[in-house]
């Protein structure tokens, strides 16, 4: 965790996600100079996701084998929140145990931008999928004014990237069958 820079020291609102590796990829949150976090997988089947930042490490797991709900836990296996995709929409609800609620969604029908919005804070961040970016598949825009007021911003960014990767894997599996 000491290899990551604190998210409080972020000076730009444009970040990139860098893909490292091919068969067991990990995704690094960077501004081009410093690394702020990392998304990696705990096993080969990609059922456990590990999100790391300078301050904390989170573990994302499915609630049950056939459940759509993802649980957010810390390293001591204490549940911090959950992520639930809504039925028949492209929205994903985030509910944290500290009272923070938000929605990940595509705002338009044909868009590559996945946004996080909250009733309390408004637009928080957006993750844009690059058209032909293999090494840098995502660009992230963060609202710097909300950086101090919203806790665990690296979790929110890396969780958004993880949700896009899950949707891409589901789409690839559906296209292949």
């Amino acid at each position: 965790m000491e290899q990551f820079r604190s998210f409080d020291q972020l000076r730009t609102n444009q970040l990139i996600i860098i893909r490292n590796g091919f068969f067991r990829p990990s995704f690094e949150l960077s501004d081009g100079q410093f690394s702020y976090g990392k998304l990696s997988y705990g096993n080969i089947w990609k059922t456990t996701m590990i999100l790391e930042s300078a301050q904390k490490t989170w573990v994302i797991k499915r609630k049950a084998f056939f459940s759509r709900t993802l649980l957010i836990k810390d390293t001591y296996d204490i549940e911090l929140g959950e992520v639930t995709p809504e039925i028949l929409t492209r929205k994903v609800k985030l509910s944290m145990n500290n009272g923070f609620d938000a929605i990940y969604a595509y705002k338009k029908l044909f868009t590559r931008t996945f946004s996080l919005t909250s009733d309390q804070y408004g637009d928080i961040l957006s993750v844009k999928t690059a058209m032909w970016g293999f090494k840098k598949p995502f660009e992230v825009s963060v609202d710097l004014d909300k950086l101090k007021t919203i806790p665990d911003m690296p979790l929110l960014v890396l969780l958004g990237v993880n949700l896009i990767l899950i949707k891409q894997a589901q789409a690839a599996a559906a296209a292949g069958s």
Side-chain angles (χ1 to χ4, degrees), residues 92-111:
V92 180
K93 184 171 179 16
L94 170 68
S95 300
M96 299 296 285
N97 291 348
N98 61 5
F100 179 77
D101 290 325
I103 301 253
Y104 286 99
Y106 290 99
K107 291 187 177 180
K108 297 178 185 173
L109 186 59
F110 297 109
T111 184

Side-chain angles (χ1 to χ4, degrees), residues 7 10 12-17 29-32 34 36 138-142 157:
F7 220 70
L10 183 65
T12 180
N13 64 346
Q14 295 294 324
L15 299 168
I16 54 174
I17 301 292
L29 177 64
S30 175
D31 62 357
F34 299 106
Y36 293 95
F138 304 104
E139 297 173 0
V140 180
S141 298
V142 179
V157 173

